[in-house]
Amino acid sequence: MEGVAASWNAWRAAPESAHAAQCYVNEATMYAKTLAGSEEARDALSPADLWLHVRAVLDAWTAYEAQVDPQKRKERATWADVARAALGLVRNSAVDPRHAQMIGTHGRDVQRWMQTLLAFERMSDPLLLVPIRVLAQCLVNGVTSAPDTRSMLWAAHVTAEGTQPWADAILRLLSSPDERTSLAAQVFLLNCVPPGDARLRDLVHTKPARRAMEVVLHLYEAALYEETSETIPITIALVDRLFGAGLIGPLLDALGTDDDIHPAQLTLLRVLIECLHQHVQTPTAEQVDAPWVANIRPLIDRVMALSQYATNAMHQVANEGAEAQGLVRAYMGLLALFECLHWAGLRAHQDASAARTTEAAALLPLLREPAVLGATIELLRQARSFYPPKAPFAPSGASVPDGHAKSALHTSVPDDDRPGLPHLKRSALQLLGTLSFPAGPHDRAAVRDVQDHVRELGGLIDVLSLTALDELNPYIREHAVFALRNLLEQNAASQALVRELQPIPSGGT
């Protein structure tokens, strides 16, 4: 540390010397590398002495930056590199809890530096991108190593209300044009909320933290178009922790309204699908104890609400020429919700078939409630009427050879511009097939109730009608056969109903 301090004093004695400035940068950078790799070096360094030095450097830089002509690019670049080197000392030493605590203890210093670095006009300044990135990495190491610092920085920079740059620092860092800075801010959020942490509720119930969560979801959506991205696993881990705290429903509600679907809600559901997929494929002890009912019950309610909205909207679009935007949004939400419920149903089957008394196993009765089955059947019925199966091999002409009758391949589809709602019928049918599959001998009575209720609703006929090929719903025929198999198994009344069905004669009605 002596060499770093000496080089700083030498430059301050000759502030016009670019060589002296570079000497300081070199000394600080080399010492930062030593701190990163040597626990002995970190132990030997006084946290108070290091902070005094870094404060002197960064206060000098902020004073300079406040009065310098922005067009003096070369001189500003020198100072920016000096600030970056000083922040690197804090970042690399903060893997030690003693040094990490200094970031929280001296929060006023950090806020003062943020006031300059995170001003909107400087956030995109190429000269300052790296110092801002190192600042973000300092915060990450601080919250990772020291729980007290975690609490202080969360309150000061995530949940704080205000217009000062430091009040919404994490939100600004998340939105940085520098990808590594944004990634550091995402890691900051993740490391501040370990599983079961009370701060997870802030991401739902406080407006500033919820805005940060919305930005994270937006970044996830953008990352899907990249070949590789560390944003995706970070977001999945964050949503999984919200799932572990039973906060998926409240967050979904907070991100939008009940009768529509907001882009952030849709992204949350897509991330949740990835989480549920992991819960089914590689369940952990924490996931077994997760509050499944608290998380999935709101999704069930939303499926029923959106199904009702979608069926009404289909009628209005088809018969009254209404605009289809609301229907399309509901359709996209239903696709994601059905996928979530399907994976939740699979996990419920896993636990129920193993006779485990878990919250996941308790989902089956909720998913099989008559209201859920009724909403699913009605949606299937209306969706088929709204847009009949579009056969992939349908002839282009309307006529057929003499002596032949039109088959399902000749089903006419609407010639207006109504949306085809691809995959919707298949997704709803997939859920129905999952719910009608028994999770073992002890589940037969519950499945019998499902079978009977579907038959009483006329659902068997609807499922039978979905066995036609449909290019907008790939593999729907296979899903229909699976659902029929489950709905008919060991149910004489349902089998008799199907047995009584007769084919319509050629040219008949």
Side-chain angles (χ1 to χ4, degrees):
M1 187 63 194
E2 290 81 2
V4 175
S7 61
W8 167 251
N9 292 332
W11 184 44
R12 298 314 293 145
E16 302 299 323
S17 171
H19 174 72
Q22 190 60 49
C23 285
Y24 172 77
V25 170
N26 293 342
E27 284 285 347
T29 301
M30 286 190 294
Y31 188 56
K33 290 180 179 179
T34 300
L35 292 173
S38 171
E39 182 178 355
E40 182 179 354
R42 295 192 296 271
D43 289 342
L45 177 62
S46 164
D49 290 347
L50 175 62
W51 197 265
L52 285 173
H53 169 76
V54 172
R55 177 194 289 158
V57 175
L58 290 178
D59 282 355
W61 168 75
T62 54
Y64 164 82
E65 187 70 20
Q67 52 81 34
V68 70
D69 181 353
Q71 300 305 314
K72 292 186 176 181
R73 308 290 293 176
K74 186 174 181 179
E75 187 177 329
R76 288 184 65 230
T78 298
W79 268 99
D81 206 22
V82 167
R84 186 272 309 163
L87 285 168
L89 295 170
V90 177
R91 176 194 61 194
N92 291 4
S93 65
V95 296
D96 183 314
R98 296 181 307 124
H99 290 277
Q101 286 176 348
M102 300 298 287
I103 299 174
T105 303
H106 297 280
R108 292 296 180 88
D109 291 337
V110 176
Q111 291 174 9
R112 190 167 60 254
W113 305 332
M114 286 179 173
Q115 189 77 19
T116 299
L117 276 171
L118 302 187
F120 284 120
E121 64 272 16
R122 293 189 177 93
M123 285 289 296
S124 57
D125 188 335
L127 296 179
L128 299 180
L129 289 181
V130 176
I132 292 171
R133 179 197 307 160
V134 179
L135 172 65
Q137 293 166 344
C138 288
L139 301 179
V140 171
N141 286 353
V143 301
T144 304
S145 302
D148 290 344
T149 298
R150 188 181 306 157
S151 299
M152 294 176 187
L153 295 185
W154 183 267
H157 307 304
V158 179
T159 59
E161 297 275 4
T163 58
Q164 297 295 334
W166 51 264
D168 59 352
I170 299 305
L171 189 63
R172 297 188 184 213
L173 292 171
L174 284 169
S175 306
S176 169
D178 179 63
E179 183 178 351
R180 292 169 64 185
T181 299
S182 177
L183 186 64
Q186 295 167 51
V187 175
F188 175 93
L189 286 177
L190 183 65
N191 290 359
C192 277
V193 288
D197 193 276
R199 281 180 289 268
L200 284 162
R201 297 184 61 82
D202 291 337
L203 294 172
V204 177
H205 298 298
T206 67
K207 186 176 180 180
R210 190 168 63 247
R211 286 207 313 268
M213 190 66 210
E214 288 187 65
V215 173
V216 170
L217 292 172
H218 174 75
L219 292 169
Y220 174 90
E221 196 70 30
L224 294 176
Y225 298 95
E226 300 175 8
E227 188 171 341
T228 59
S229 174
E230 295 179 73
T231 290
I232 292 175
I234 291 173
T235 309
I236 292 173
L238 191 56
V239 170
D240 198 47
R241 292 178 186 181
L242 289 165
F243 185 90
L247 293 170
I248 295 298
L251 179 57
L252 194 64
D253 291 340
L255 292 174
T257 60
D258 293 336
D259 57 352
D260 203 346
I261 196 78
H262 187 275
Q265 292 174 306
L266 193 58
T267 303
L268 174 62
L269 291 172
R270 288 170 176 163
V271 180
L272 180 60
I273 290 169
E274 296 299 322
C275 295
L276 295 176
H277 182 268
Q278 293 178 3
H279 287 206
V280 171
Q281 298 295 328
T282 54
T284 64
E286 292 80 7
Q287 293 165 354
V288 169
D289 297 330
W292 283 82
V293 172
N295 284 302
I296 302 301
R297 174 83 261 187
L299 272 59
I300 295 173
D301 295 339
R302 194 169 287 267
V303 162
M304 291 191 289
L306 279 181
S307 293
Q308 181 63 50
Y309 176 87
T311 54
N312 292 338
M314 281 187 268
H315 176 80
Q316 293 169 358
V317 171
N319 300 309
E320 302 172 16
E323 295 292 332
Q325 291 93 330
L327 171 60
V328 171
R329 289 195 301 272
Y331 146 74
M332 295 177 68
L334 283 168
L335 275 186
L337 286 163
F338 277 130
E339 187 77 3
C340 287
L341 296 189
H342 168 66
W343 284 106
L346 290 180
R347 180 53 193 271
H349 268 281
Q350 283 183 343
D351 286 9
S353 62
R356 289 194 290 262
T357 306
T358 64
E359 279 225 4
L363 283 176
L364 276 179
L366 295 179
L367 292 167
R368 289 168 170 169
E369 287 180 350
V372 179
L373 297 173
T376 304
I377 293 295
E378 182 61 24
L379 183 68
L380 283 170
R381 184 176 297 146
Q382 293 298 327
R384 187 182 188 282
S385 174
F386 179 76
Y387 208 100
K390 184 178 181 182
F393 311 113
S396 57
S399 62
V400 296
D402 292 340
H404 292 263
K406 289 186 177 182
S407 71
L409 295 182
H410 298 75
T411 302
S412 60
V413 296
D415 59 359
D416 53 22
D417 59 353
R418 70 182 63 180
L421 310 180
H423 306 288
L424 178 61
K425 288 178 281 189
R426 187 191 69 181
S427 296
L429 189 57
Q430 182 183 43
L431 177 62
L432 187 61
T434 300
L435 299 182
S436 56
F437 185 80
H442 62 282
D443 196 35
R444 284 288 178 189
V447 168
R448 179 60 179 261
D449 291 340
V450 172
Q451 294 171 330
D452 291 344
H453 191 65
V454 170
R455 184 186 67 251
E456 291 162 3
L457 291 171
L460 279 175
I461 308 302
D462 293 304
V463 175
L464 278 166
S465 71
L466 294 170
T467 55
L469 294 174
D470 185 351
E471 70 174 21
L472 295 181
N473 290 269
Y475 301 105
I476 191 172
R477 188 173 187 171
E478 288 75 11
H479 284 290
V481 170
F482 178 71
L484 278 172
R485 178 252 184 213
N486 296 340
L487 291 169
L488 296 176
E489 186 179 27
Q490 298 185 21
N491 191 307
S494 295
Q495 292 173 12
L497 175 65
V498 173
R499 193 179 298 115
E500 292 171 0
L501 296 176
Q502 298 293 326
I504 298 176
S506 176
T509 57

